């Protein structure tokens, strides 16, 4: 099964992608995670991407398209995958269509995570991430067992620069201008399924499963 998760910043698509990926044994491909990994490694790509990420802007298409192509060509993606945060622009959507044609793959569904924007700002400003492994927590909705320490790897938790107010504003603008128009594109292609992404993680997961099918977990 090949799924694309689309939605505004803080819509919870990354959280749902992680849960679904474990349930269905499908690789979760988060461009944001891949890019942050490159930044931590101080690779050439990471050094180019860092300023864009911290400002809440889109990293240039040529980088994200190449990274996506490389990742979905790997063997673990042969039975499907969840793309979280790609495509985010018309150029990326076109490039993805072409990748699917070239690789003989068919996109099953684009899930659009519809949320109320006030709730989203609270989700983003309260989010804390692990410096070492990237695991995500929330000061209200998903507390770590010990303050500021990652449950998974013991790394230190921090607030991403792009989860601070100025960058959040930019991320919403970028989303409205570049990513939101993709909803129409996928609707016209008959691929779009919308879910209500407000509420608790389990509630949203149930809505997601009722759209893609409960299957066997
Ligand atoms: P996310 O973790 O999905 O919120 O992404 C964090 C940041 O990574 C974004 O604000 C962008 O700077 C960058 N990014 C992630 N995915 C993409 C993409 N498909 N195209 C361009 N930049 C991206």
């Amino acid at each position: 099964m090949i799924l694309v998760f689309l939605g505004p910043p803080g819509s919870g698509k990354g959280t749902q992608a992680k849960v679904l990926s474990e349930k269905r044994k499908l690789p979760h491909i988060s461009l944001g995670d891949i890019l942050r990994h490159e930044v931590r490694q101080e690779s050439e790509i990471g050094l180019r991407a860092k300023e864009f990420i911290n400002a809440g802007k889109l990293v240039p298409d040529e980088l994200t398209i190449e990274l996506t192509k490389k990742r979905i060509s790997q063997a673990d993606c042969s039975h499907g995958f969840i793309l979280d945060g790609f495509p985010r622009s018309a150029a990326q959507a076109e490039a993805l269509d072409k990748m699917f044609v070239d690789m003989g793959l068919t996109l099953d569904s684009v899930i659009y995570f519809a949320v109320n924007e006030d709730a989203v700002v609270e989700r983003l400003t309260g989010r804390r991430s692990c410096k070492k492994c990237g695991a995500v927590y929330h000061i209200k909705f998903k507390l770590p067992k010990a303050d500021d320490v990652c449950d998974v790897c013991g790394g230190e938790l921090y607030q991403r620069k792009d989860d601070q107010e100025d960058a959040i504003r930019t991320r919403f603008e970028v989303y409205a201008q570049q990513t939101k128009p993709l909803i129409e594109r996928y609707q016209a292609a008959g691929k779009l399924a919308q879910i209500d992404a407000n509420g608790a993680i389990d509630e949203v997961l149930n809505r997601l499963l009722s759209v893609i099918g409960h299957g066997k977990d």
Side-chain angles (χ1 to χ4, degrees):
M1 177 179 265
I2 299 180
L3 298 172
V4 164
F5 282 9
L6 189 72
S11 56
K13 57 190 180 344
T15 302
Q16 296 297 332
K18 273 198 191 84
V19 179
L20 189 68
S21 147
E22 278 164 28
K23 266 183 162 323
R24 294 288 163 90
K25 311 280 175 269
L26 287 174
H28 166 209
I29 304 175
S30 154
L31 250 288
D33 285 349
I34 293 174
L35 289 165
R36 280 185 292 275
H37 175 78
E38 297 288 335
V39 172
R40 282 196 294 274
Q41 301 294 308
E42 298 185 339
S43 69
E44 202 180 309
I45 292 176
L47 293 174
R48 280 186 67 193
K50 188 174 175 177
E51 294 308 314
F52 294 96
I53 297 173
N54 285 347
K57 295 183 177 158
L58 290 191
V59 169
D61 286 335
E62 84 228 38
L63 292 183
T64 53
I65 290 169
E66 259 327 290
L67 286 169
T68 303
K69 202 193 269 176
K70 216 167 116 190
R71 182 64 188 90
I72 68 175
S73 308
Q74 288 172 5
D76 64 331
C77 291
S78 59
H79 298 297
F81 48 85
I82 305 166
L83 263 183
D84 157 24
F86 186 95
R88 264 168 141 123
S89 68
Q92 293 180 13
E94 272 160 38
L96 186 64
D97 284 350
K98 184 166 182 311
M99 281 179 228
F100 287 157
V101 170
D102 292 348
M103 298 166 82
L105 301 174
T106 307
L107 171 65
D108 289 286
S109 243
V110 175
I111 312 290
Y112 167 49
F113 287 71
V115 270
N116 155 340
E117 291 206 2
D118 296 338
V120 153
V121 173
E122 191 184 21
R123 280 183 185 177
L124 289 173
T125 51
R127 183 154 76 175
R128 298 292 179 270
S129 308
C130 175
K131 268 190 182 160
K132 228 159 104 187
C133 75
V136 179
Y137 299 86
H138 193 280
I139 55 171
K140 217 162 139 186
F141 308 123
K142 193 177 175 230
L143 286 162
K145 291 195 180 93
D147 281 355
D148 300 325
V149 179
C150 177
D151 294 348
V152 181
C153 75
E156 188 191 339
L157 303 187
Y158 79 116
Q159 185 179 37
R160 280 168 38 179
K161 270 215 173 70
D162 62 340
D163 282 342
Q164 294 168 17
E165 219 175 302
D166 275 4
I168 290 178
R169 210 171 305 124
T170 308
R171 286 164 73 195
F172 274 107
E173 282 165 18
V174 167
Y175 171 76
Q177 283 164 15
Q178 306 209 50
T179 311
K180 211 170 174 193
L182 299 182
I183 295 171
E184 262 179 41
R185 177 195 177 97
Y186 287 118
Q187 202 155 32
K191 297 283 184 188
L192 197 83
Q194 173 168 330
I195 61 165
D196 173 3
N198 297 293
I201 295 174
D202 280 354
E203 286 167 2
V204 179
L205 178 64
N206 279 331
R207 292 179 202 133
L208 173 62
L209 292 174
S210 59
V211 164
I212 63 165
H214 284 262
K216 57 173 174 54
D217 297 328

